[in-house]
């Protein structure tokens, strides 16, 4: 009888230990999922910024566009996101019984070579070069169309319209570049970060977060290109600029100080 009692007590102890282990595993899983939600929030935040940028750029609301670029940089800041990723990788290893990541490795983001960074870029030089090429092709076409004697005035009007269109196109392209930057982060980098974190792929997660950080840092230079292109558009035709018309003096002051 005493042997049976001992066996029952042993089994009860094992059940308690199993229950406690399951509770610990459940808490680890819950904490891990909360951290994954924070990582997923990067995609949601950048998606919201992308949506808002579309409207701001259409309205030529340069202040709102600038504010969005600050928000984009904040949402993709590697220094802010690394502690969350670090905890997620540690909890993933504990939950699944894997080897804990090397603390020295996950302490900072790796430096990625320039050739490994694939986010969209647009410099003012490239924007002007491509625009000039397009205008030259348009000009050659117009000169073939308006080539008869007495059509000089028509040619000049057509060239003037083409120049104005080229200026508008530069501003539009610079604005689209900001949205393309968001789209690249949303479509290419965020899913990769989430999968790497969920699977405990330490180097994959760190390198992807470094790429997100680099893409976010591109927002500032991208806005500067947009600002220059928009200022040229404003100087060429100040009236059809949407929200800018509501505070032209402020916009002119801003342009004159940069």
């Amino acid at each position: 009888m005493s042997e049976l009692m001992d066996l029952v007590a042993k089994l009860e102890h094992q059940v308690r230990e199993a229950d406690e282990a399951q509770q610990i595993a459940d808490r680890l899983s819950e904490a891990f999922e909360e951290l994954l939600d924070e990582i997923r929030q990067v995609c949601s935040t950048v998606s919201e910024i992308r949506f808002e940028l579309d409207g701001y750029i259409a309205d030529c609301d340069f202040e709102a566009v600038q504010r969005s670029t600050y928000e984009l940089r904040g949402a993709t800041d590697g220094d802010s996101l690394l502690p969350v990723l670090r905890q997620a990788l540690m909890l993933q290893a504990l939950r699944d019984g894997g080897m804990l990541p090397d603390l020295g490795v996950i302490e900072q983001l790796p430096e990625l070579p320039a050739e490994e960074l694939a986010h969209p870029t647009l410099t003012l030089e490239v924007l002007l070069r491509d625009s000039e090429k397009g205008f030259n092709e348009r000009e050659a076409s117009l000169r073939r169309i308006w080539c008869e004697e007495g059509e000089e005035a028509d040619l000049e009007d057509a060239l003037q319209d083409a120049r104005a269109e080229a200026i508008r196109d530069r501003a539009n392209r610079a604005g689209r570049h900001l949205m393309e930057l968001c789209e690249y982060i949303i479509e290419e980098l965020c899913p990769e970060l989430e999968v790497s974190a969920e699977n405990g792929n330490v180097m994959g997660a760190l390198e992807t977060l470094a790429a997100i950080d680099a893409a976010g840092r591109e927002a500032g230079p991208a806005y500067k290109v947009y600002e220059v292109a928009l200022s040229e558009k404003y100087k060429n035709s100040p009236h059809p600029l949407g929200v800018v018309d509501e505070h032209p003096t402020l916009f002119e002051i801003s342009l004159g100080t940069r």
Side-chain angles (χ1 to χ4, degrees):
M1 187 69 177
S2 61
E3 291 180 359
L4 178 60
M5 294 291 291
D6 290 342
L7 179 59
V8 169
K10 184 178 180 180
L11 290 172
E12 289 177 343
H13 179 69
Q14 289 176 343
V15 168
R16 284 196 299 272
E17 285 185 336
D19 288 342
E20 290 173 359
Q22 185 60 53
Q23 291 174 10
I24 292 172
D26 289 343
R27 287 198 294 271
L28 284 174
S29 293
E30 289 173 5
F32 178 61
E33 285 300 322
E34 288 176 1
L35 291 168
L36 277 184
D37 285 341
E38 289 190 51
I39 291 171
R40 296 185 185 108
Q41 185 60 39
V42 176
C43 185
S44 299
T45 301
V46 177
S47 295
E48 291 174 7
I49 293 170
R50 160 64 179 82
F51 176 78
E52 291 171 349
L53 273 172
D54 195 6
Y56 297 152
I57 290 169
D59 290 339
C60 299
D61 191 343
F62 72 101
E63 289 183 323
V65 173
Q66 184 181 44
R67 191 164 58 246
S68 292
T69 61
Y70 291 149
E71 292 171 357
L72 178 59
R73 180 66 194 114
T76 57
D77 180 48
D79 289 339
S80 299
L81 294 169
L82 181 57
V84 177
L85 179 61
R86 186 163 53 230
Q87 293 177 57
L89 292 170
M90 295 287 287
L91 283 180
Q92 191 277 341
L94 288 171
R95 185 196 66 174
D96 295 350
M99 184 178 295
L100 291 177
D102 185 337
L103 293 178
V105 172
I106 62 175
E107 193 63 31
Q108 59 185 7
L109 292 177
E111 292 188 14
L112 299 179
E115 58 270 18
E116 292 186 15
L117 298 175
H119 59 260
T121 60
L122 179 65
T123 64
L124 184 59
E125 291 75 18
V126 169
L127 179 66
L128 294 176
R129 181 201 67 198
D130 293 349
S131 179
E132 182 179 5
K133 179 182 177 182
F135 174 75
N136 289 340
E137 292 172 353
R138 178 65 174 156
E139 180 182 13
S141 175
L142 290 172
R143 290 189 182 279
R144 287 193 296 270
I145 295 171
W146 304 102
C147 60
E148 301 293 334
E149 185 177 349
E151 294 181 339
E152 293 82 5
D154 293 324
L155 174 61
E156 186 53 40
D157 288 344
L159 288 174
Q160 185 174 347
D161 290 342
R163 292 188 190 96
E165 184 178 358
I167 291 171
R168 290 193 298 271
D169 287 346
R170 285 199 287 272
N172 292 338
R173 181 182 174 188
R176 287 197 307 272
H177 170 59
L178 281 165
M179 293 189 290
E180 289 166 2
L181 192 61
C182 291
E183 289 163 4
Y184 178 76
I185 295 170
I186 295 164
E187 297 172 6
E188 300 294 332
L189 298 180
C190 284
E192 189 175 337
L193 177 64
E194 292 170 17
V195 170
S196 295
E198 192 166 6
N199 294 336
N201 181 353
V202 175
M203 288 311 302
L206 291 173
E207 289 174 357
T208 304
L209 181 54
I212 289 175
D213 181 72
R217 280 189 273 113
E218 178 66 21
Y223 172 76
K224 290 299 182 183
V225 173
Y226 169 76
E227 184 182 54
V228 170
L230 186 64
S231 70
E232 185 181 20
K233 181 178 177 181
Y234 176 79
K235 291 173 185 176
N236 182 69
S237 180
H239 297 296
L241 281 185
V243 172
V244 170
D245 286 336
E246 299 174 8
H247 41 75
T249 302
L250 177 60
F251 187 54
E252 289 173 319
I253 292 172
S254 174
L255 296 176
T257 57
R258 302 192 180 188

